[in-house]
Amino acid sequence: MSGASRPKAAPRAWQRMLSGRRLDLLDPSPLDVELSDIAHGLARVARWNGQTHGDHAFSVAQHSLLVETIFRRQNRCDAGDCLMALLHDAPEYVIGDMISPFKTVVGGGYKAVEKRLEAAVHLRFGLPAITPAALKAKIKKADQVAAFFEATELAGFSREEATKFFGAPRGVTLEMIGIAPLPAVEAERCFVARFMALDRERGPRPAVAEV
């Protein structure tokens, strides 16, 4: 059979992870989700498309830690809620961090992929597949505060400009949270350590078994 007549193979829709897992983006399985892959990936995805001050990129892993810290300061919450705050951007270990202007350009098609990945991550760690709406709103509020500080301290926004896009932070100061960009290996280590601390605090719970 000549090369011209060979049927085309279906496009690859899975990503091979360093853990050895193959994560299907069309139908992601919780069994193919690993904390090590999430932490490694998020620590190497830059916020703000890398347009930040400092010797290191401000990673999504570090942003996730920042959001969880702010969320915890703003709310009375249990370890499971905090874990969902920490994992709020977990799908970005696969799809990367799309800045808001680019999301506006491409439209909402990526949301379907993001939701499937979020559900797989949550189920892997014994969390509700879909974040409850009230909790999601609280995490979003913490996310906006984090974005304000990242914008003004790292991404060159004026306070007036950041307030316009993200709102003024209330009840949280820069001194409370810290925002110096970390090397990727350190951000990865901190993310895993915080996840493990929250997971221990939750105690025994149903989870997807290792295979």
Side-chain angles (χ1 to χ4, degrees):
M1 183 182 290
S2 67
S5 61
R6 289 176 186 158
K8 289 185 177 180
R12 180 169 65 90
W14 53 265
Q15 180 177 352
R16 186 190 185 283
M17 302 297 173
L18 287 180
S19 66
R21 301 290 189 180
R22 293 187 178 189
L23 186 66
D24 185 346
L25 273 65
L26 297 177
D27 186 21
S29 168
L31 292 169
D32 290 324
V33 173
E34 296 291 349
L35 174 61
S36 60
D37 294 328
I38 295 172
H40 185 89
L42 294 184
R44 288 158 179 80
V45 175
R47 291 273 292 169
W48 308 94
N49 268 358
Q51 297 298 307
T52 51
H53 298 293
D55 294 335
H56 306 285
F58 191 79
S59 69
V60 175
Q62 197 171 354
H63 164 77
S64 300
L65 289 161
L66 180 62
V67 170
E68 192 268 328
T69 297
I70 295 168
F71 172 79
R72 192 166 11 99
R73 286 185 172 274
Q74 290 180 329
N75 302 281
R76 296 181 66 181
C77 49
D78 61 24
D81 293 341
C82 288
L83 198 54
M84 280 190 276
L86 183 69
L87 293 170
H88 78 283
D89 277 340
E92 294 181 8
Y93 89 104
V94 178
I95 61 178
D97 181 30
M98 291 187 188
I99 60 173
S100 295
F102 190 66
K103 290 178 182 178
T104 300
V105 171
V106 301
Y110 74 96
K111 279 288 185 184
V113 177
E114 186 178 61
K115 286 180 180 178
R116 287 196 293 267
L117 287 166
E118 181 180 69
V121 169
H122 281 198
L123 292 173
R124 172 64 179 86
F125 300 119
L127 297 166
I130 300 173
T131 306
L135 177 59
K136 194 175 186 70
K138 292 177 181 179
I139 294 172
K140 181 63 176 177
K141 182 179 178 181
D143 194 19
Q144 293 290 91
V145 174
F148 175 91
F149 286 118
E150 292 171 23
T152 54
E153 297 300 314
L154 300 174
F157 284 58
S158 68
R159 291 186 65 86
E160 291 75 19
E161 191 176 23
T163 300
K164 175 183 176 183
F165 291 116
F166 310 114
R170 300 181 185 279
V172 179
T173 66
L174 188 61
E175 291 71 28
M176 291 178 179
I177 54 176
I179 203 169
L182 297 172
V185 172
E186 180 67 8
E188 180 179 351
R189 185 194 68 76
C190 291
F191 185 92
V192 170
R194 184 59 185 153
F195 178 98
M196 296 302 291
L198 289 170
D199 198 42
R200 285 192 299 270
E201 187 178 337
R202 291 168 71 204
R205 85 286 179 196
V208 176
E210 295 283 355
V211 295

